[in-house]
Amino acid sequence: MADSGNEQIGESSSSRKRSRRQKLCNRHSVEQIQQLETFFKECPHPDENQRRQLSREIGLDPKQIKFWFQNKRTQTKALSERADNNTLKTENERFHCENMAMREALKNIICPHCDGPPPGEEERRRNLEKMKMANQRLRDEHERISNLISSFVGRSFAMTSQLAPQNNVGSLSSSSDESLVSQNIVGSPIENPNNVRGNSTAIIPPPSLPPSPPPPPFEENEEIRVDREKSIIFGTVISATDEIVELLQMNEPIWIKSQIDGRYFINRESYEKIYPKPNQAYKSAARIESSKESGVVTMTAIELIQIFLDPVRYMNMFPTIVTKARTIEVVDTENFGGSVQLMYEKLHILSPLVGARDFFFIRCCRQLDPTTWTMVDVSFDNLREIQSGGPSQSWKFPSGCVIQDLGNGKSMVTWLEHVYVDDKTHTNRLYRDLVCGRQAFGAKRWIITLQRMSDRHNFAMGANNHDLGGVIGEPEGKQNVMQISQRMVKSFCEILSMGDSLDFPTSSEMTNSGVRVSFRKNEDISQPKGLIVTAATSIWLPLSFDTVFNFFKDDKTRTQWDVLTNGNAVGELARIPTGFFPGNCISIIQPYVPKENNMLLLQETNIDPTGAFIIYAPIDLATVTSIINGADTTQIPILPSGLIISPDGRLAADRDGNGISQTGSLLTVAFQILVSANTNTNSISKQQNMEAVATVHTLLSSTVQKIKVALDCTD
């Protein structure tokens, strides 16, 4: 009875549908429906004007046309959804069948190597032993790379105790996995600092290795390790770049303006809320230095980026700041929209009293838009332990600069310095104010040096040269003189890092640091071969640094302090400007020494708001002639001496109370003398060494005394 009832209901519903279609056909002719179907294909949503026009053409009421189109759209949508549902249902059934087939296949899986059952407990144990051996192989590789890196810093470096494997199996399996995928740019695993900091227990000896040799490295695992390594480096660089760009756009409360000297520095509390550094441990005696500065540089953005990526050009651009620079590994040059490389640099201030700062960091140069570039330096966690054994532990938070090309051969450079320094030896009292006041290594010094050296580069490439007596006629000769002078300046700046020096202290540390003497055996063709002794001292003078510079720059007062002139007058034979300020130039000076007309002096002088220098070297007339005529300057040995003048960093109010000034200056005097042309230091007796020390000490002391008398600054 129920079935017959359902059949009657189905027949009645189908009959109702047929009756509705019949009514529709009766209501609209076949020709009208065809016209509506054709128009629907072209425009399924006609507006009111189109419906009226269609009404006139086919003879139907506009409301009828409106309702017909609504019904047609509903019918079309329902048919489309029904077709999609059928397709998805078929696809789902196919996936279900494949899933069931894969489950059945997994029940009968066999080992592809031995046609045996799936790996069991014994096989997993063997795999664990293989992982142990692979881990040990990677540790040996790490030790080899560590020795390689130590050559860049000139000291030995050993693995930390946290790299030793643990005894129990559970911890070994987890630590092995971490070691296999740990990230290290130079190609060997260094444990994550998060794990190191959490485990400070005693060293546990490694387990004994099985007698079988370790298996060969797995190429697939190596590729995965490198990819993982690069991904972490890129993540670090992207985060550092974003931080640099954001910081340079912020003001208060991140940046605070000093009421003493007007410089900006970072508010630590506000900074750490926005950019927390959970892995960074701070020591109470350490310092965090931060500063920013902007300036226009007479070079394009592309030129500056190329200099930053080339360690040699980078050192030549900042000879008074960067002593050493090396590219340890180029990480990427194509896939990141710029260049990413691991670098090492040593920074210094021009005095042997201030220790150098060693940095290992990632440098990324990246283009943000058609006119803007960034150069970002940031220290990397995996190399933290390498920096813990030197005289100072230096760490770079995201630092660098944003360069905006101005389109006229100039660029606007905004520089940010943000470093952590833990000096193990206290800075000498003379330089404490200059270093701790963010003046020695701050952003302003980088910007001013960049401006000064870009001007020097443009003067070298252009024709803005002035020759007093027509000694240097051709532009090639002038460029040759500028090249050897730049090498002289760089060589002099490098010798002021006197780590292996002998100290001769004085009784007054407030005004004099004493004399420091060091020996070195030189075999480089850029300087005379043999044993060279260097002596340097730094003193405080109650005069402004520009006053002291003008005294040394004046040829008329040179006889009062320069021992090379033997008290005779000097004359300037030629001058090549290296900047717009008259004091920035290269000179060839001739001392009027009787019967020694062949001895000349090559000298470069420079002054800017951060300090000044006068660097010179004796050179004979024949060598000067060959330089002017285009000889290879790299083959000419030169042994420079000189003077470095800088503000003392002690700020005080003007007498009128209108501002802050620095009335004192710091003077560093350094001499170099060739003791013996014999490169075999063993053949030089101890008495000869002591005689050389006594000679250079007397020479330096007498020069300093003459300077004090001439400047009326005696004790």
Side-chain angles (χ1 to χ4, degrees):
M1 294 295 294
D3 294 337
S4 61
N6 292 334
E7 291 177 357
Q8 292 177 0
I9 294 173
E11 290 176 357
S12 62
S13 60
S14 60
S15 62
R16 284 197 298 270
K17 291 180 181 179
R18 285 194 299 270
S19 63
R20 283 199 300 270
R21 285 197 296 269
Q22 187 65 33
K23 290 179 181 179
L24 180 63
C25 292
N26 295 336
R27 195 179 305 153
H28 309 311
S29 66
V30 176
E31 182 179 359
Q32 289 175 333
I33 293 176
Q34 290 178 349
Q35 292 178 353
L36 289 173
E37 293 280 354
T38 303
F39 193 88
F40 180 84
K41 293 178 182 179
E42 298 176 355
C43 179
H45 296 274
D47 56 16
E48 186 175 357
N49 294 330
Q50 291 173 328
R51 290 196 298 270
R52 290 177 180 175
Q53 182 179 358
L54 192 60
S55 172
R56 290 191 296 269
E57 290 177 356
I58 63 178
L60 292 176
D61 188 76
K63 288 186 177 181
Q64 290 179 316
I65 294 175
K66 177 181 179 181
F67 294 144
W68 186 91
F69 272 91
Q70 290 178 352
N71 295 334
K72 186 65 176 177
R73 287 194 297 269
T74 303
Q75 182 183 7
T76 303
K77 182 178 179 181
L79 292 175
S80 176
E81 290 177 351
R82 187 180 304 165
D84 291 341
N85 289 337
N86 292 333
T87 303
L88 292 175
K89 184 183 295 184
T90 304
E91 192 74 12
N92 188 26
E93 291 176 355
R94 184 174 65 83
F95 285 156
H96 181 71
C97 293
E98 290 180 356
N99 192 15
M100 295 298 295
M102 291 174 66
R103 288 188 178 184
E104 291 296 327
L106 285 175
K107 295 179 181 179
N108 301 319
I109 190 172
I110 60 175
C111 178
H113 297 288
C114 61
D115 294 335
E121 184 65 26
E122 183 179 356
E123 182 67 20
R124 284 195 290 269
R125 191 178 296 110
R126 286 199 297 267
N127 291 337
L128 184 59
E129 291 298 327
K130 291 181 180 180
M131 290 180 63
K132 290 179 184 179
M133 292 185 289
N135 192 27
Q136 183 62 34
R137 177 184 60 81
L138 293 174
R139 293 180 191 279
D140 295 338
E141 180 72 8
H142 168 261
E143 186 174 0
R144 184 183 68 81
I145 295 297
S146 300
N147 295 332
L148 176 63
I149 295 178
S150 65
S151 63
F152 290 100
V153 292
R155 56 179 172 80
S156 61
F157 148 67
M159 288 194 304
T160 58
S161 61
Q162 287 83 359
L163 292 176
Q166 303 296 318
N167 241 349
N168 56 62
V169 176
S171 61
L172 176 62
S173 60
S174 60
S175 63
S176 299
D177 292 341
E178 291 174 358
S179 299
L180 286 173
V181 300
S182 61
Q183 284 69 39
N184 177 17
I185 297 177
V186 296
S188 60
I190 298 178
E191 194 170 18
N192 194 310
N194 295 333
N195 301 333
V196 171
R197 193 170 292 108
N199 182 9
S200 59
T201 58
I203 301 176
I204 300 177
S208 58
L209 297 177
S212 58
F218 297 99
E219 295 297 331
E220 184 179 0
N221 289 344
E222 183 70 15
E223 292 178 2
I224 294 174
R225 185 188 64 79
V226 172
D227 291 341
R228 212 179 265 271
E229 186 177 284
K230 285 188 176 183
S231 65
I232 289 188
I233 293 174
F234 290 162
T236 302
V237 166
I238 292 173
S239 176
T241 303
D242 293 341
E243 182 175 323
I244 284 284
V245 175
E246 293 171 1
L247 280 178
L248 291 178
Q249 295 175 349
M250 295 180 181
N251 293 314
E252 294 184 357
I254 288 291
W255 290 98
I256 300 177
K257 186 175 183 180
S258 172
Q259 298 179 354
I260 300 177
D261 56 5
R263 292 188 176 92
Y264 286 90
F265 62 94
I266 291 178
N267 184 336
R268 299 309 310 167
E269 183 177 355
S270 301
Y271 173 82
E272 291 176 1
K273 287 181 180 179
I274 302 177
Y275 307 104
K277 302 290 190 296
N279 296 335
Q280 188 70 36
Y282 302 108
K283 296 182 180 179
S284 58
R287 297 191 314 276
I288 296 180
E289 300 175 2
S290 57
S291 57
K292 68 174 180 178
E293 191 73 25
S294 299
V296 177
V297 178
T298 56
M299 297 183 78
T300 64
I302 296 296
E303 290 175 322
L304 292 174
I305 291 298
Q306 291 174 348
I307 290 172
F308 292 145
L309 291 176
D310 187 340
V312 176
R313 298 178 65 187
Y314 176 59
M315 287 188 291
N316 291 334
M317 181 60 73
F318 300 98
T320 59
I321 304 178
V322 182
T323 306
K324 295 180 181 179
R326 302 283 188 276
T327 296
I328 299 177
E329 181 178 343
V330 177
V331 180
D332 188 84
T333 57
E334 298 177 355
N335 303 321
F336 193 62
S339 178
V340 182
Q341 58 190 31
L342 173 65
M343 291 188 66
Y344 160 75
E345 70 177 3
K346 175 180 284 189
L347 309 182
H348 70 150
I349 188 173
L350 298 180
S351 173
L353 303 182
V354 182
R357 297 181 177 182
D358 295 319
F359 289 98
F360 284 90
F361 58 92
I362 305 170
R363 170 162 291 179
C364 172
C365 293
R366 187 181 181 190
Q367 188 173 14
L368 299 181
D369 58 52
T371 61
T372 308
W373 288 76
T374 60
M375 187 276 291
V376 179
D377 295 342
V378 58
S379 291
F380 193 47
D381 285 340
N382 284 4
L383 295 177
R384 182 190 298 270
E385 62 187 62
I386 300 179
Q387 300 181 222
S388 61
S392 67
Q393 182 180 357
S394 306
W395 182 266
K396 280 197 177 189
F397 296 111
S399 303
C401 61
V402 173
I403 309 169
Q404 183 180 7
D405 200 309
L406 301 180
N408 54 355
K410 299 180 180 180
S411 300
M412 172 62 72
V413 181
T414 304
W415 200 286
L416 186 150
E417 278 295 300
H418 192 192
V419 299
Y420 168 90
V421 182
D422 179 19
D423 290 323
K424 296 183 178 180
T425 58
H426 293 292
T427 304
N428 187 278
R429 198 163 187 171
L430 288 178
Y431 284 86
R432 195 170 301 166
D433 294 322
L434 189 67
V435 173
C436 297
R438 305 184 306 279
Q439 301 179 53
F441 297 98
K444 184 175 182 180
R445 188 182 176 205
W446 287 94
I447 285 290
I448 290 177
T449 303
L450 187 61
Q451 292 173 326
R452 173 72 193 92
M453 294 305 294
S454 63
D455 288 342
R456 189 188 192 282
H457 172 76
N458 293 332
F459 270 77
M461 301 303 295
N464 298 319
N465 297 328
H466 177 62
D467 188 358
L468 294 179
V471 177
I472 309 174
E474 297 297 328
E476 293 79 6
K478 296 178 181 179
Q479 292 184 4
N480 233 19
V481 173
M482 296 189 76
Q483 289 176 4
I484 192 171
S485 182
Q486 183 174 10
R487 179 163 65 86
M488 176 183 68
V489 172
K490 184 175 180 295
S491 174
F492 177 79
C493 294
E494 289 176 351
I495 65 157
L496 292 179
S497 297
M498 302 169 65
D500 54 345
S501 60
L502 303 173
D503 286 340
F504 296 87
T506 62
S507 58
S508 176
E509 187 185 352
M510 290 295 295
T511 58
N512 198 334
S513 64
V515 177
R516 291 196 171 185
V517 180
S518 68
F519 291 88
R520 76 177 186 278
K521 181 178 68 173
N522 178 63
E523 296 181 352
D524 190 3
I525 60 175
S526 63
Q527 293 186 351
K529 293 185 178 181
L531 184 63
I532 298 175
V533 59
T534 304
T537 186
S538 297
I539 62 174
W540 178 82
L541 297 172
L543 301 171
S544 61
F545 78 93
D546 51 348
T547 301
V548 178
F549 173 77
N550 292 331
F551 166 76
F552 289 112
K553 183 68 176 63
D554 191 354
D555 293 339
K556 298 178 182 179
T557 60
R558 194 179 192 101
T559 58
Q560 301 180 32
W561 59 270
D562 191 356
V563 296
L564 294 179
T565 63
N566 288 328
N568 297 297
V570 299
E572 191 176 47
L573 298 181
R575 181 194 306 157
I576 302 176
T578 60
F580 296 100
F581 188 77
N584 297 332
C585 63
I586 300 170
S587 305
I588 297 178
I589 299 173
Q590 181 180 21
Y592 297 122
V593 182
K595 299 180 182 180
E596 293 186 12
N597 294 328
N598 290 330
M599 200 273 285
L600 304 175
L601 291 176
L602 177 66
Q603 175 176 287
E604 179 162 352
T605 58
N606 175 83
I607 186 170
D608 58 50
T610 63
F613 64 73
I614 298 175
I615 300 172
Y616 55 91
I619 190 168
D620 58 75
L621 180 59
T623 303
V624 172
T625 304
S626 65
I627 294 172
I628 295 173
N629 292 332
D632 185 4
T633 59
T634 60
Q635 304 293 325
I636 297 175
I638 193 166
L639 195 64
S641 300
L643 308 103
I644 306 295
I645 314 161
S646 65
D648 61 0
R650 305 173 190 176
L651 303 176
D654 290 337
R655 294 180 179 179
D656 301 333
N658 296 326
I660 302 298
S661 65
Q662 300 184 77
T663 57
S665 61
L666 297 171
L667 173 66
T668 297
V669 186
F671 287 117
Q672 292 192 96
I673 297 177
L674 180 65
V675 177
S676 173
N678 188 0
T679 57
N680 186 7
T681 56
N682 295 328
S683 63
I684 302 175
S685 64
K686 183 177 181 180
Q687 182 179 359
Q688 288 177 311
N689 286 339
M690 295 307 297
E691 289 176 355
V693 170
T695 300
V696 73
H697 183 274
T698 302
L699 177 64
L700 189 60
S701 300
S702 61
T703 301
V704 170
Q705 190 61 31
K706 289 180 180 180
I707 293 172
K708 289 182 177 180
V709 172
L711 293 174
D712 195 19
C713 298
T714 58
D715 294 338

